[in-house]
Amino acid sequence: MNTPLGDARTGKLADNITAFGRALRRAGVPVDSSRIALAQEAAQMVGVERKIDFGSALECVMVGREQDRGVFRELFDAFFRDPEIANKLLAQMLPSHDGKAAPTRRPRVAQALSPGSQAAAAPDRNEQKVELDAAMTASEAMRLRHADFNALSAQEYALVERLAREVPLRVPQVASRRTRAGERGAQPHWARTIRRATRTGGELAVLQRRARRPQELPLLVLVDVSGSMERYARLLLAFLHAATRGARRRDVFAFGTHLTDLTPVFRQADTDAMLLAAAAAIDDFAGGTRLGESLAQLRARHARRLVGGRTLVLLISDGLDTGDGGALAEELGWLKRHCRKLMWLNPLLRYEGYAPLATGAAVLHRFADRMVAVHNLEKLEDLAAQLAAVMKAR
């Protein structure tokens, strides 16, 4: 049993844990007052003699999503940084400003630690409303429309994610085997023609036709959830969930070191609930990328998701694969033979002069029907036109 630390509701320890919780909230981590209270209780139980134990205890009670763990650890190290932490943590739980060069931080962490964010730690509803309204002035809206998702602050990222859910995406349609009555068609519709003839005294005034009924292509979405795709993956999942809500058929998989089926998660009506369920389902978030092994699992377990060679495949990745290039080429060849079109959605196209020189990127470029940029709102709005163009291409 650890030595009691006294009343955690008073003193610098409680104040700094509360301030740390607010910093997490500014970084986009959902931390409420109950989690902060649990963190203070956890600090009493584990003590403050070892920083690693103290940090692990706070992480257990303050982090509920896998994608937030990296943000928590980086922000914890920056917030509770003191060279004599073992002896003075209880007395001085404040960030250290010793003049050292500031380390490179995630945009969410840098935004949470910025001086301006300290004053806005707990805005009321009216202040928050004014802030969001100000962010959507004409010039600001134009800037956010062209801003790279990975360069946004935490507040900007949350706003852009909401805007992305309103971007429409028209899934391409093809003529199905089913027919319907129409003025044009290769076959006559005799039943409808005869019914129309009863109105003209038995004369065949108009020959009705059978037209093939248009049908949306089935969608198969493969989303890279490796570390380099962290911010893009969450935002694109939110975009695709909202934009394809009425799709006839959609199958969604996440891949990092292995394949995760997100199709049941995507059946939820609420996008926020879907993101929480997806975070709980993905256990290799922010790890490496092994697309070849993931596609091998797709072929072995889910080959029936590819409907009769008509499926449109959207593969979202930066192509930084760590697996074997030969195995990746073999699996991509199988996927290409069993789908209608394979589109590679690559956020690295934000760089001018980008060339797929990495092994995985070179293999993807060889098999993909088209490579499309998806690093900002403007490119998401253009995605539907890109889908239509690739369907027309021979």
Side-chain angles (χ1 to χ4, degrees):
M1 171 87 71
N2 293 306
T3 303
L5 301 177
D7 190 356
R9 293 171 295 178
T10 61
K12 288 187 177 181
L13 177 60
D15 292 341
N16 282 278
I17 290 178
T18 301
F20 178 59
R22 292 171 179 169
L24 284 173
R25 194 156 52 215
R26 291 193 299 275
V29 180
V31 178
D32 54 15
S33 58
S34 63
R35 287 185 181 269
I36 294 176
L38 286 174
Q40 294 175 357
E41 294 181 12
Q44 284 186 322
M45 297 182 66
V46 303
V48 295
E49 290 80 9
R50 298 185 59 194
K51 183 178 180 180
I52 187 172
D53 293 339
F54 177 66
S56 298
L58 294 190
E59 182 178 352
C60 287
V61 298
M62 301 182 85
V63 178
R65 304 184 303 187
E66 185 64 29
Q67 67 263 34
D68 293 332
R69 295 195 182 278
V71 175
F72 173 90
R73 291 164 186 169
E74 189 173 337
L75 187 58
F76 179 85
D77 292 337
F79 197 91
F80 297 112
R81 186 176 58 204
D82 192 301
E84 299 181 9
I85 191 74
N87 299 323
K88 300 181 179 180
L89 183 61
L90 182 59
Q92 46 183 346
M93 294 285 285
L94 293 173
S96 173
H97 299 281
D98 50 7
K100 296 182 181 180
T104 302
R105 299 192 176 108
R106 303 169 193 254
R108 293 165 63 184
V109 176
Q111 173 73 13
L113 292 175
S114 63
S117 63
Q118 302 293 335
D124 59 25
R125 294 177 177 236
N126 293 330
E127 290 176 349
Q128 186 175 11
K129 182 176 180 181
V130 171
E131 181 180 2
L132 290 177
D133 288 342
M136 289 309 294
T137 57
S139 59
E140 188 68 10
M142 184 61 66
R143 185 186 69 83
L144 291 180
R145 187 168 175 266
H146 295 87
D148 184 357
F149 298 146
N150 203 36
L152 297 173
S153 67
Q155 293 177 346
E156 291 172 339
Y157 184 88
L159 178 58
V160 169
E161 182 188 298
R162 294 288 175 179
L163 294 176
R165 301 181 190 187
E166 301 175 4
V167 176
L169 177 64
R170 181 176 176 83
V171 179
Q173 294 184 335
V174 294
S176 67
R177 296 179 180 178
R178 296 179 180 273
T179 60
R180 65 180 180 183
E183 296 181 358
R184 298 181 180 179
Q187 299 177 352
H189 195 305
W190 291 116
R192 192 178 184 90
T193 300
I194 293 173
R195 284 199 300 269
R196 289 290 297 269
T198 59
R199 304 175 187 176
T200 57
E203 295 185 4
L204 300 179
V206 179
L207 182 62
Q208 298 294 310
R209 298 281 183 176
R210 285 186 179 273
R212 297 178 67 180
R213 189 186 302 272
Q215 188 178 70
E216 286 186 348
L217 289 175
L219 273 180
L220 174 63
V221 181
L222 302 170
V223 183
D224 186 349
V225 293
S226 61
S228 59
M229 290 287 295
E230 178 181 355
R231 301 197 101 197
Y232 300 104
R234 174 184 170 85
L235 197 144
L236 288 170
L237 282 173
F239 158 67
L240 289 170
H241 180 265
T244 64
R245 184 174 285 116
R248 170 178 163 267
R249 177 166 181 172
R250 62 179 178 182
D251 294 285
V252 184
F253 294 88
F255 67 90
T257 56
H258 60 269
L259 196 70
T260 303
D261 187 4
L262 297 182
T263 305
V265 172
F266 257 61
R267 295 192 184 107
Q268 299 196 39
D270 183 68
T271 301
D272 291 322
M274 180 278 297
L275 290 173
L276 290 174
I282 300 171
D283 58 1
D284 58 342
F285 190 85
T289 305
R290 294 176 185 163
L291 179 55
E293 297 179 16
S294 300
L295 290 179
Q297 296 177 27
L298 178 69
R299 175 168 63 166
R301 303 175 186 174
H302 309 285
R304 293 186 178 180
R305 304 289 182 93
L306 297 164
V307 183
R310 294 182 289 120
T311 303
L312 175 62
V313 178
L314 305 181
L315 199 156
I316 306 170
S317 175
D318 53 11
L320 303 180
D321 189 74
T322 58
D324 180 63
L328 176 58
E330 181 181 351
E331 297 301 333
L332 281 174
W334 169 82
L335 180 62
K336 186 69 182 296
R337 291 190 300 271
H338 290 80
C339 72
R340 189 180 186 98
K341 294 290 183 180
L342 171 60
M343 291 191 66
W344 177 18
L345 278 53
N346 184 3
L348 290 184
L349 286 178
R350 65 186 183 272
Y351 298 116
E352 277 189 40
Y354 167 77
L357 300 179
T359 302
V363 176
L364 267 170
H365 187 261
R366 191 165 78 243
F367 285 93
D369 292 293
R370 178 163 296 196
M371 184 166 56
V372 181
V374 285
H375 60 279
N376 58 30
L377 282 176
E378 181 187 26
K379 297 302 180 183
L380 291 187
E381 293 168 356
D382 190 47
L383 182 57
Q386 294 285 349
L387 292 178
V390 79
M391 293 302 300
K392 294 178 182 178
R394 295 290 181 182

